[in-house]
Amino acid sequence: MFQLFPTVAFQSTRAFVASTLFGGLLLSASGSTFSVQTATTETSNASTHGLTRASLITGFEQGPYELTPERRALLNTIRYAEGTWKDGQDHGYTVMYGGGMFDDLSRHPERVVVKRYSSAAAGAYQFLPGTWKGVARELKLASFEPQHQDQAALHLAKRRGALKEIDQRGLTKAAMAKLAPEWASFPTSTGLSAYGQPVKSHQELASFYSKNLSNLKRQVNV
């Protein structure tokens, strides 16, 4: 994650997080009752059954990372921090920097948007094109579909050394500090952004994660 400069387009191998683009709500993954499906369910099928990816929490899907309640809660919290949570709805996966939407999920849109800053960040986890291409190559991801975005985000968390911490202890301050160099909306150990960008507080992110995880676990009686 690198600090942005007004009206200057840039490329990097980190994902930029625009934490102030949307007014995120402290909501859980499920606003209604549903039956839990396995994570191999495609997004289109989930939508057909009134589900969202924010509530898919078990199994493997087109990648090396298993989905668990803890990992789904992490993914949902990253989306919340980035401003792409959008009440947990799947269209959060088609958000570009600045709040615009794109339709083609066959690839990263690679579209530079000029707002206060210039950025080509896109998707639920606001991947920059360079970040996405590198991770997609490593994981052999064939598209920008939501299930692939989830796998890529988990891979970035693992590379930062945060995934094991989260699997074992949840979203601790130590885990947030590990994620801060990847997502500028996450606070370092001092509570600041690693890149001088606006950040969410430890307390706010921990609260969202905890409530979201509790809700996910209730759905499977964990």
Side-chain angles (χ1 to χ4, degrees):
M1 207 78 56
F2 293 98
Q3 183 175 359
L4 297 181
F5 298 93
T7 67
V8 177
F10 69 97
Q11 298 291 328
S12 81
T13 59
R14 306 285 200 280
F16 166 70
V17 177
S19 63
T20 59
L21 297 182
F22 306 97
L25 299 178
L26 192 62
L27 298 177
S28 62
S30 67
S32 59
T33 303
F34 58 84
S35 59
V36 176
Q37 294 186 351
T38 63
T40 54
T41 304
E42 297 294 336
T43 303
S44 58
N45 291 337
S47 298
T48 300
H49 291 85
L51 305 177
T52 66
R53 293 211 42 98
S55 58
L56 297 179
I57 58 177
T58 58
F60 293 88
E61 55 172 17
Q62 300 184 31
Y65 296 100
E66 181 180 6
L67 293 176
T68 64
E70 290 78 12
R71 292 179 178 184
R72 176 55 67 188
L74 168 64
L75 293 174
N76 292 344
T77 304
I78 296 172
R79 289 181 58 188
Y80 171 75
E82 290 190 14
T84 63
W85 175 239
K86 293 187 158 306
D87 297 349
Q89 297 302 306
D90 289 343
H91 53 264
Y93 287 87
T94 59
V95 175
M96 295 184 296
Y97 166 70
M101 310 293 285
F102 63 94
D103 297 320
D104 183 6
L105 283 166
S106 67
R107 61 191 297 275
H108 190 292
E110 298 187 21
R111 192 182 311 169
V112 176
V113 177
V114 181
K115 293 287 187 177
R116 179 181 179 185
Y117 305 104
S118 295
S119 177
Y125 311 100
Q126 293 292 277
F127 298 106
L128 286 172
T131 303
W132 176 256
K133 287 178 181 177
V135 176
R137 184 168 54 250
E138 289 181 41
L139 299 184
K140 296 180 172 57
L141 303 177
S143 75
F144 203 53
E145 292 287 340
Q147 62 268 28
H148 293 159
Q149 292 186 38
D150 286 353
Q151 288 287 304
L154 290 172
H155 189 60
L156 292 177
K158 181 183 179 182
R159 282 203 318 206
R160 290 293 179 180
L163 195 57
K164 185 176 180 180
E165 171 80 10
I166 291 161
D167 285 343
Q168 295 178 346
R169 301 180 181 86
L171 188 61
T172 62
K173 286 187 178 181
M176 292 184 209
K178 292 177 184 294
L179 295 171
E182 197 68 56
W183 285 285
S185 57
F186 272 73
T188 63
S189 58
T190 62
L192 302 176
S193 167
Y195 303 102
Q197 304 296 327
V199 302
K200 300 291 186 183
S201 69
H202 292 117
Q203 181 179 0
E204 183 177 1
L205 293 181
S207 177
F208 181 92
Y209 174 86
S210 178
K211 291 181 180 180
N212 195 268
L213 178 60
S214 294
N215 198 22
L216 291 169
K217 285 185 172 182
R218 281 199 300 270
Q219 293 160 12
V220 290
N221 297 317
V222 175

